[in-house]
Amino acid sequence: MRIGGFLKLSLCDWPGRPAAVVFAQGCNFRCPWCHNPTLVSAEPAGPLIPEEEVLEWLARRRDFLGGVVVSGGEPAVQPDLLSFLAKLKALGLAVKLDTNGSRPEVVAAALGAGLADFVAVDYKVPARMYGMVSSDGLAAAGPVLETVRAVLLVRKGLVRTTAVPGVHDEKILEEMRREAGADILVQPWRRPPG
Ligand code: SF4
């Protein structure tokens, strides 16, 4: 895994669980309101964190952690995501995957193999507005909705969005709920650090 960041303890990334957070480097979307802009480029500004270093730390602390969140960037674009998740599971850790939903086949494989215990899928905007976050435009929304369906079908996660001032109003959120066929956890946008 190309790891651009590692948070040893978070009390808010997996509600109810004290969790470590692994941030994958690189994302296939370009949300103008990205909360982790330094993780978007495949090439980080600084050095990557060696995977072995992260796994060793987790192995030492696993009894004190409620789980690990794998976030990003976008974890599902990493070719070795599934083998990394398998290493986390081999440590006996519960795993939450945060994803923009663009790779439904990867998320389905992770769920099918028992490598993710919970998945949070970001549904960014209504399908007709996906050009705001992806050069694939409307076509980018189809795979995301496929991921949403896969996660909800097995009751292993939720759909969420970041409400950005000037983009998301109640009408837009209602349109998104209709398209997702689910309630959406709405999180307020926060200016990225720095
Ligand atoms: S999907 Fe997430 S990491 Fe990627 S650009 Fe959007 S907010 Fe940033």
Side-chain angles (χ1 to χ4, degrees):
M1 272 274 285
R2 291 172 62 77
I3 299 174
F6 180 51
L7 183 59
K8 291 174 176 170
L9 181 64
S10 165
L11 299 177
C12 60
D13 282 85
W14 195 347
R17 289 178 186 249
V21 187
V22 177
F23 296 94
Q25 182 72 45
C27 183
N28 54 344
F29 281 2
R30 292 291 181 271
C31 308
W33 51 82
C34 181
H35 48 277
N36 283 330
T38 57
L39 294 166
V40 171
S41 168
E43 292 311 320
L48 291 168
I49 301 170
E51 180 183 301
E52 308 71 49
E53 207 175 279
V54 169
L55 290 169
E56 274 167 29
W57 191 93
L58 290 171
R60 286 201 306 275
R61 304 297 200 292
R62 61 185 160 187
D63 293 341
F64 304 100
L65 287 170
V68 181
V69 178
V70 181
S71 188
E74 175 47 45
V77 298
Q78 304 252 347
D80 57 349
L81 173 68
L82 295 181
S83 72
F84 180 68
L85 297 183
K87 289 173 194 169
L88 297 178
K89 295 306 290 180
L91 291 175
L93 289 159
V95 173
K96 172 177 178 263
L97 182 63
D98 288 347
T99 179
N100 63 22
S102 59
R103 298 285 163 85
E105 69 288 359
V106 176
V107 174
L111 286 169
L115 299 177
D117 301 282
F118 195 86
V119 180
V121 188
D122 288 336
Y123 190 46
K124 305 282 185 189
V125 283
R128 64 185 168 82
M129 292 167 59
Y130 251 75
M132 291 181 83
V133 300
S134 166
S135 55
D136 291 339
L138 175 65
V144 180
L145 289 170
E146 200 181 315
T147 303
V148 165
R149 282 192 291 274
V151 167
L152 295 180
L153 186 68
V154 295
R155 299 171 193 262
K156 289 258 179 166
L158 54 74
V159 191
R160 65 184 187 179
T161 201
T162 301
V164 182
V167 177
H168 299 84
D169 57 20
E170 196 41 51
K171 212 168 138 207
I172 290 283
L173 291 170
E174 193 44 45
E175 185 179 353
M176 292 166 63
R177 286 187 198 103
R178 266 201 315 277
E179 291 176 346
D183 200 8
I184 294 178
L185 175 67
V186 180
Q187 301 175 311
W189 179 77
R190 286 192 194 85
R191 193 173 295 284

